[in-house]
Amino acid sequence: MTAALELQGIDQHYGYVRALDGIDIAVRPGEVLGLLGDNGAGKSSLLKVMSGAHQPTNGTILVHGTPHRFSGPSDATHAGIQMVYQDLALVDAQDIATNLTIGREILRRGPLGWLGFVDHKAQRKRAATELERLGVRTAPVTRPVEMLSGGQRQVVALARAATRVTGEHHGVLLLDEPTAALGYEQTRQVQALIRRMAADGVACVLVTHDLPLATGVCDRIAVLNRGRKVADVPTSDTNGDELVGWITGARPSMYT
């Protein structure tokens, strides 16, 4: 199966600092790839390359087998890659429906549409349909985001990204610490949504420090240490002790 997103020989230099050193990594449609590593391991730099926020110093990026060169996040978005950041980037004063449809608003018919007036009723209907398809039942789509719990806000951010990466050509979803500020039940909500998206054919890359989350939701886990990939294994073939060893450097790299 052709990888949904593949990085080959990715180097990232910031002056004399080498943040990424020859990274080869891929994620297939319907797969959840966990990306682990200590602070400074290169996880954030790799996500920025994947999302188009940074251009690699060297290397090749392929989306569904086709080489791409991202000059910015909009290029990655057009290629079917969506990033969900830790701050979620939601508009608190607006309702769920508006947040889900930002950037793809439904305009009213006729002259009002030509003037840019939004059809809020149609947007609420589409938002409800998309949430139902994803199996998300957080709150009425008319509820302002500022009235939601942390877990509900995270689910809305994930759902907004999911609506942009599902369809005929399954996209790639990049998740940066999606459960960092959540409790147990809220984390389970997010975990279930990630698995539903993967079952729908979406390729997911999950950056997290939460080992139970990684082993519970990921099909495969890659570990970075000081800018190099030191492990890339099916989750079923490893355990917490091995992962901690690769993260800390106590366990030798698989590639040396």
Side-chain angles (χ1 to χ4, degrees), residues 24 221-223 228-233 246 252-256:
D24 295 322
I221 294 177
V223 181
R228 295 184 177 183
K229 188 174 78 168
V230 297
D232 192 336
V233 294
W246 281 314
S253 169
M254 295 177 64
Y255 306 103
T256 55

Side-chain angles (χ1 to χ4, degrees), residues 43-58:
K43 304 185 304 299
S44 294
S45 294
L46 191 58
L47 273 186
K48 289 173 181 175
V49 169
M50 291 177 172
S51 65
H54 287 181
Q55 290 72 53
T57 307
N58 297 297

Side-chain angles (χ1 to χ4, degrees), residues 5 40 85 109 120 141 154 159 169 200 210:
L5 176 64
Y85 295 94
R109 295 182 179 180
H120 293 287
V141 295
Q154 184 68 71
H169 300 290
D200 201 27
D210 187 341

Side-chain angles (χ1 to χ4, degrees), residues 191-216:
Q191 181 174 336
L193 181 53
I194 293 172
R195 287 310 320 175
R196 282 199 295 271
M197 287 187 286
D200 201 27
V202 175
C204 302
V205 179
L206 171 64
V207 170
T208 182
H209 284 91
D210 187 341
L211 283 182
L213 174 66
T215 55

Side-chain angles (χ1 to χ4, degrees), residues 105-124:
E105 291 82 0
I106 301 175
L107 299 181
R108 297 180 67 172
R109 295 182 179 180
L112 290 179
W114 305 338
L115 294 173
F117 282 80
V118 173
D119 188 337
H120 293 287
K121 182 177 180 180
Q123 288 198 160
R124 288 193 291 269

Side-chain angles (χ1 to χ4, degrees), residues 104-156:
R104 53 194 189 103
E105 291 82 0
I106 301 175
L107 299 181
R108 297 180 67 172
R109 295 182 179 180
L112 290 179
W114 305 338
L115 294 173
F117 282 80
V118 173
D119 188 337
H120 293 287
K121 182 177 180 180
Q123 288 198 160
R124 288 193 291 269
K125 183 177 180 180
R126 181 169 70 180
T129 299
E130 290 175 340
L131 290 175
E132 182 66 27
R133 179 178 58 82
L134 291 169
V136 174
R137 296 174 179 83
T138 56
V141 295
T142 54
R143 183 169 298 175
V145 165
E146 62 190 356
M147 295 179 63
L148 302 180
S149 68
Q152 289 174 320
R153 290 163 61 91
Q154 184 68 71
V155 168
V156 169

Side-chain angles (χ1 to χ4, degrees), residues 16 19 28 59 77 83 89 97-98 103 122 137 150 198 216 221 230:
Y16 292 105
R28 296 182 295 272
T77 298
M83 176 81 177
T98 301
R137 296 174 179 83
I221 294 177
V230 297

Side-chain angles (χ1 to χ4, degrees), residues 83-101:
M83 176 81 177
V84 180
Y85 295 94
Q86 288 190 50
D87 63 5
L88 305 184
L90 297 174
V91 183
D92 288 352
Q94 296 294 337
D95 60 22
I96 292 174
T98 301
N99 274 275
L100 284 176
T101 54

